[in-house]
Amino acid sequence: MISENLDFVKKNIESSCKKAGRNSDEVSLIAVSKTKPVSMLMEAYEQGCRDFGENKVQELVEKYEVMPKDIRWHMIGHLQRNKVKYIVDKVALIHSVDSLKLAEEISREAHKKQVTVSVLVEVNIACEETKFGVTKEAAVSLVHDIAQLKGVHVEGLMTIAPYTANPEENRQYFRKLKQLAVDISSKNIDNVNMNVLSMGMTGDYMVAIEEGATYVRVGTGIFGEREYPV
Ligand SMILES: *Cc1c(COP(=O)(O)O)cnc(C)c1O
Protein backbone atom coordinates (compact mmCIF):
# COMPACT_ATOMS: atom_id res chain seq x y z
CA MET A 1 0.00 0.00 0.00
CA ILE A 2 2.74 2.45 0.98
CA SER A 3 4.59 1.82 -2.25
CA GLU A 4 1.48 2.53 -4.37
CA ASN A 5 0.66 5.59 -2.29
CA LEU A 6 4.16 6.94 -2.74
CA ASP A 7 4.02 6.41 -6.48
CA PHE A 8 0.71 8.24 -6.58
CA VAL A 9 1.97 11.20 -4.52
CA LYS A 10 5.19 11.46 -6.53
CA LYS A 11 3.22 11.45 -9.80
CA ASN A 12 1.01 14.22 -8.45
CA ILE A 13 4.06 16.23 -7.42
CA GLU A 14 5.49 15.86 -10.89
CA SER A 15 2.29 16.90 -12.62
CA SER A 16 1.86 19.92 -10.34
CA CYS A 17 5.43 20.96 -11.08
CA LYS A 18 4.80 20.60 -14.77
CA LYS A 19 1.59 22.61 -14.54
CA ALA A 20 3.43 25.39 -12.67
CA GLY A 21 6.44 25.32 -14.98
CA ARG A 22 8.71 24.20 -12.17
CA ASN A 23 11.44 21.60 -12.13
CA SER A 24 10.37 18.63 -10.01
CA ASP A 25 13.71 18.59 -8.18
CA GLU A 26 12.69 21.91 -6.60
CA VAL A 27 10.10 20.10 -4.49
CA SER A 28 10.93 17.56 -1.77
CA LEU A 29 8.46 15.21 -0.20
CA ILE A 30 8.48 14.80 3.57
CA ALA A 31 6.83 11.57 4.68
CA VAL A 32 4.94 12.56 7.82
CA SER A 33 5.17 9.43 9.94
CA LYS A 34 3.76 10.55 13.29
CA THR A 35 1.87 7.78 15.15
CA LYS A 36 3.04 5.20 12.57
CA PRO A 37 5.22 2.22 13.50
CA VAL A 38 8.85 1.90 12.45
CA SER A 39 7.94 -1.02 10.17
CA MET A 40 5.87 1.36 8.02
CA LEU A 41 8.62 3.98 7.99
CA MET A 42 11.06 1.31 6.84
CA GLU A 43 8.74 0.42 4.00
CA ALA A 44 8.81 4.04 2.85
CA TYR A 45 12.57 4.14 3.36
CA GLU A 46 12.98 1.13 1.11
CA GLN A 47 10.96 2.97 -1.55
CA GLY A 48 13.51 5.78 -1.41
CA CYS A 49 12.12 8.16 1.23
CA ARG A 50 14.87 9.93 3.14
CA ASP A 51 12.88 12.84 4.60
CA PHE A 52 10.59 12.01 7.52
CA GLY A 53 8.47 14.40 9.57
CA GLU A 54 7.47 13.96 13.21
CA ASN A 55 5.58 16.31 15.51
CA LYS A 56 6.61 14.97 18.93
CA VAL A 57 10.12 15.07 20.33
CA GLN A 58 10.05 11.73 22.09
CA GLU A 59 8.67 9.89 19.08
CA LEU A 60 11.21 11.52 16.78
CA VAL A 61 14.10 10.53 19.05
CA GLU A 62 12.86 6.95 19.42
CA LYS A 63 12.58 6.52 15.67
CA TYR A 64 15.88 8.31 15.07
CA GLU A 65 17.65 5.76 17.29
CA VAL A 66 16.46 2.73 15.34
CA MET A 67 16.19 3.99 11.76
CA PRO A 68 19.06 4.29 9.22
CA LYS A 69 21.36 7.24 9.75
CA ASP A 70 21.01 8.76 6.28
CA ILE A 71 17.49 9.96 7.06
CA ARG A 72 16.77 13.68 7.31
CA TRP A 73 14.42 14.20 10.25
CA HIS A 74 12.04 17.15 10.20
CA MET A 75 10.52 18.50 13.39
CA ILE A 76 7.16 19.80 12.20
CA GLY A 77 5.20 20.07 15.45
CA HIS A 78 5.05 22.66 18.20
CA LEU A 79 8.35 22.56 20.07
CA GLN A 80 8.70 23.23 23.79
CA ARG A 81 11.86 24.96 24.90
CA ASN A 82 12.74 22.32 27.48
CA LYS A 83 12.81 19.65 24.77
CA VAL A 84 15.08 21.44 22.32
CA LYS A 85 18.15 19.76 23.79
CA TYR A 86 16.97 16.31 22.73
CA ILE A 87 16.79 17.08 19.02
CA VAL A 88 19.20 19.86 17.96
CA ASP A 89 21.85 17.38 16.87
CA LYS A 90 19.35 14.97 15.29
CA VAL A 91 17.15 17.05 13.00
CA ALA A 92 17.85 18.38 9.52
CA LEU A 93 15.27 21.14 9.89
CA ILE A 94 12.99 22.54 12.58
CA HIS A 95 9.87 23.84 10.79
CA SER A 96 8.07 25.25 13.80
CA VAL A 97 10.02 28.18 15.26
CA ASP A 98 7.46 30.72 16.41
CA SER A 99 9.17 32.77 19.12
CA LEU A 100 12.49 34.41 19.82
CA LYS A 101 12.71 32.55 23.14
CA LEU A 102 12.53 29.22 21.33
CA ALA A 103 15.14 30.36 18.80
CA GLU A 104 17.41 31.49 21.66
CA GLU A 105 17.12 28.10 23.30
CA ILE A 106 17.97 26.41 19.98
CA SER A 107 21.00 28.70 19.71
CA ARG A 108 22.17 27.79 23.25
CA GLU A 109 21.82 24.07 22.67
CA ALA A 110 23.39 24.30 19.21
CA HIS A 111 26.42 25.94 20.80
CA LYS A 112 26.69 23.22 23.45
CA LYS A 113 26.58 20.48 20.83
CA GLN A 114 28.69 22.45 18.34
CA VAL A 115 26.14 22.24 15.53
CA THR A 116 24.31 24.70 13.33
CA VAL A 117 20.56 24.21 13.28
CA SER A 118 18.46 25.05 10.23
CA VAL A 119 15.05 26.44 11.05
CA LEU A 120 11.90 27.78 9.43
CA VAL A 121 9.70 30.43 10.95
CA GLU A 122 6.14 29.16 11.33
CA VAL A 123 3.60 31.68 10.12
CA ASN A 124 -0.09 31.51 10.97
CA ILE A 125 -0.91 32.96 7.60
CA ALA A 126 -4.67 32.38 7.83
CA CYS A 127 -4.75 33.91 11.35
CA GLU A 128 -6.52 30.92 12.86
CA GLU A 129 -6.94 31.13 16.61
CA THR A 130 -6.27 27.45 17.13
CA LYS A 131 -2.92 27.43 15.32
CA PHE A 132 0.61 28.09 16.44
CA GLY A 133 2.80 30.40 14.41
CA VAL A 134 3.36 34.14 14.24
CA THR A 135 1.52 36.74 12.21
CA LYS A 136 2.92 37.96 8.91
CA GLU A 137 4.05 41.20 10.53
CA ALA A 138 5.70 39.46 13.49
CA ALA A 139 7.49 37.06 11.14
CA VAL A 140 9.56 39.86 9.64
CA SER A 141 10.88 41.05 12.99
CA LEU A 142 11.34 37.49 14.27
CA VAL A 143 13.50 36.67 11.25
CA HIS A 144 15.57 39.81 11.91
CA ASP A 145 16.06 38.77 15.55
CA ILE A 146 16.95 35.16 14.81
CA ALA A 147 19.50 36.35 12.26
CA GLN A 148 21.52 37.73 15.18
CA LEU A 149 21.77 34.36 16.92
CA LYS A 150 24.73 32.03 16.58
CA GLY A 151 24.19 28.42 15.60
CA VAL A 152 20.73 29.02 14.11
CA HIS A 153 20.12 29.57 10.43
CA VAL A 154 16.78 30.67 9.00
CA GLU A 155 16.14 28.86 5.72
CA GLY A 156 12.59 30.01 5.01
CA LEU A 157 8.98 29.83 6.16
CA MET A 158 6.43 27.19 7.07
CA THR A 159 2.67 27.28 7.39
CA ILE A 160 -0.15 24.92 8.24
CA ALA A 161 -3.13 25.95 6.13
CA PRO A 162 -6.68 25.53 7.41
CA TYR A 163 -8.32 22.14 7.16
CA THR A 164 -10.62 22.21 4.18
CA ALA A 165 -12.25 19.79 1.78
CA ASN A 166 -11.54 22.17 -1.08
CA PRO A 167 -7.81 22.77 -1.56
CA GLU A 168 -8.49 25.76 -3.80
CA GLU A 169 -9.55 27.64 -0.67
CA ASN A 170 -5.98 27.44 0.58
CA ARG A 171 -4.37 28.82 -2.57
CA GLN A 172 -4.66 32.37 -1.20
CA TYR A 173 -2.71 31.39 1.92
CA PHE A 174 0.07 29.62 0.05
CA ARG A 175 0.37 32.64 -2.22
CA LYS A 176 0.59 34.93 0.82
CA LEU A 177 3.35 32.84 2.38
CA LYS A 178 5.33 32.90 -0.87
CA GLN A 179 4.91 36.67 -1.12
CA LEU A 180 6.06 37.08 2.46
CA ALA A 181 9.19 35.06 1.70
CA VAL A 182 9.87 37.23 -1.35
CA ASP A 183 9.41 40.38 0.75
CA ILE A 184 11.76 39.17 3.49
CA SER A 185 14.27 37.96 0.93
CA SER A 186 14.39 41.41 -0.66
CA LYS A 187 15.68 42.82 2.63
CA ASN A 188 18.90 40.84 2.17
CA ILE A 189 19.29 40.06 5.86
CA ASP A 190 22.66 38.55 6.78
CA ASN A 191 22.53 34.91 7.87
CA VAL A 192 19.02 34.48 6.43
CA ASN A 193 17.80 32.50 3.44
CA MET A 194 14.25 32.44 2.12
CA ASN A 195 14.71 29.48 -0.20
CA VAL A 196 12.55 27.02 1.68
CA LEU A 197 8.76 27.09 1.75
CA SER A 198 7.22 24.25 3.75
CA MET A 199 3.53 24.18 2.88
CA GLY A 200 0.93 21.70 1.70
CA MET A 201 -0.35 18.48 3.27
CA THR A 202 -2.31 15.50 1.96
CA GLY A 203 -5.38 17.57 1.15
CA ASP A 204 -3.70 20.48 -0.58
CA TYR A 205 -0.09 19.76 -1.56
CA MET A 206 -0.75 20.05 -5.28
CA VAL A 207 -2.07 23.60 -4.90
CA ALA A 208 0.85 24.40 -2.56
CA ILE A 209 3.33 23.29 -5.22
CA GLU A 210 1.64 25.47 -7.82
CA GLU A 211 2.15 28.38 -5.43
CA GLY A 212 5.81 27.69 -4.73
CA ALA A 213 6.19 25.02 -2.01
CA THR A 214 9.65 23.49 -1.80
CA TYR A 215 8.70 20.97 0.91
CA VAL A 216 5.33 19.28 1.05
CA ARG A 217 4.45 17.36 4.23
CA VAL A 218 2.32 14.33 3.42
CA GLY A 219 1.19 11.86 6.07
CA THR A 220 -2.22 10.33 5.36
CA GLY A 221 -1.56 10.24 1.62
CA ILE A 222 1.40 7.91 2.19
CA PHE A 223 0.68 5.95 5.38
CA GLY A 224 -3.12 6.05 5.47
CA GLU A 225 -5.39 7.49 8.12
CA ARG A 226 -3.94 7.86 11.61
CA GLU A 227 -5.56 5.59 14.20
CA TYR A 228 -5.73 8.12 16.97
CA PRO A 229 -5.93 11.89 16.98
CA VAL A 230 -2.72 13.84 17.52
C1 LIG B 1 0.25 15.71 10.61
C2 LIG B 1 0.89 16.84 9.90
C3 LIG B 1 1.04 16.83 8.50
C4 LIG B 1 0.52 15.73 7.61
O1 LIG B 1 -0.87 15.75 7.56
P1 LIG B 1 -1.68 14.83 6.51
O2 LIG B 1 -2.96 15.54 6.33
O3 LIG B 1 -1.83 13.49 7.14
O4 LIG B 1 -0.88 14.77 5.27
C5 LIG B 1 1.69 17.90 7.90
N1 LIG B 1 2.17 18.93 8.64
C6 LIG B 1 2.05 18.96 9.97
C7 LIG B 1 2.62 20.12 10.72
C8 LIG B 1 1.42 17.93 10.65
O5 LIG B 1 1.30 17.99 11.98
Side-chain angles (χ1 to χ4, degrees):
M1 175 195 82
I2 289 175
S3 158
E4 285 84 359
N5 288 349
L6 271 169
D7 284 344
F8 181 73
V9 171
K10 285 179 189 163
K11 275 206 188 88
N12 284 341
I13 291 174
E14 251 170 58
S15 69
S16 302
C17 283
K18 196 169 272 174
K19 187 171 166 195
R22 302 180 64 195
N23 202 320
S24 58
D25 64 13
E26 290 172 35
V27 180
S28 300
L29 172 63
I30 298 175
V32 175
S33 47
K34 62 192 186 196
T35 80
K36 298 297 177 183
V38 165
S39 59
M40 289 181 82
L41 278 69
M42 278 310 297
E43 224 178 304
Y45 180 87
E46 275 151 22
Q47 299 298 319
C49 282
R50 291 297 179 271
D51 290 276
F52 288 84
E54 290 285 338
N55 69 338
K56 293 208 162 70
V57 165
Q58 190 182 340
E59 193 174 344
L60 188 153
V61 170
E62 282 170 10
K63 288 171 174 171
Y64 172 92
E65 299 297 348
V66 299
M67 296 278 296
K69 287 295 169 266
D70 61 342
I71 288 173
R72 291 177 293 272
W73 291 96
H74 296 261
M75 177 60 196
I76 61 173
H78 185 64
L79 180 56
Q80 289 170 306
R81 274 182 281 155
N82 61 351
K83 295 193 175 162
V84 166
K85 57 177 174 282
Y86 302 116
I87 61 162
V88 280
D89 55 345
K90 298 184 179 66
V91 291
L93 187 61
I94 298 175
H95 293 232
S96 44
V97 172
D98 61 357
S99 74
L100 183 57
K101 285 199 155 139
L102 175 59
E104 285 169 343
E105 181 63 18
I106 294 170
S107 174
R108 254 191 305 278
E109 292 298 328
H111 179 72
K112 278 190 204 162
K113 300 226 162 69
Q114 293 295 301
V115 293
T116 298
V117 183
S118 294
V119 305
L120 305 178
V121 166
E122 179 174 354
V123 185
N124 183 357
I125 202 84
C127 301
E128 290 180 285
E129 276 179 22
T130 53
K131 293 263 167 72
F132 291 106
V134 296
T135 63
K136 229 170 65 174
E137 294 73 26
V140 179
S141 63
L142 183 55
V143 168
H144 268 284
D145 291 341
I146 299 175
Q148 309 292 320
L149 301 174
K150 292 206 167 63
V152 188
H153 197 253
V154 178
E155 307 286 349
L157 305 175
M158 176 269 215
T159 198
I160 304 174
Y163 180 78
T164 169
N166 176 9
E168 280 301 327
E169 288 175 6
N170 283 339
R171 186 180 294 278
Q172 55 177 322
Y173 300 121
F174 298 139
R175 197 169 282 178
K176 277 187 184 160
L177 194 74
K178 168 75 186 186
Q179 188 55 51
L180 180 60
V182 168
D183 292 347
I184 295 174
S185 182
S186 72
K187 297 179 193 296
N188 289 316
I189 308 166
D190 271 356
N191 192 33
V192 169
N193 263 320
M194 278 290 134
N195 300 333
V196 175
L197 278 185
S198 170
M199 57 188 196
M201 311 181 9
T202 297
D204 54 20
Y205 66 91
M206 296 181 74
V207 173
I209 289 169
E210 288 169 28
E211 297 301 329
T214 67
Y215 275 121
V216 290
R217 309 179 306 266
V218 179
T220 310
I222 296 172
F223 298 108
E225 294 287 339
R226 285 175 291 275
E227 308 265 311
Y228 44 95
V230 286

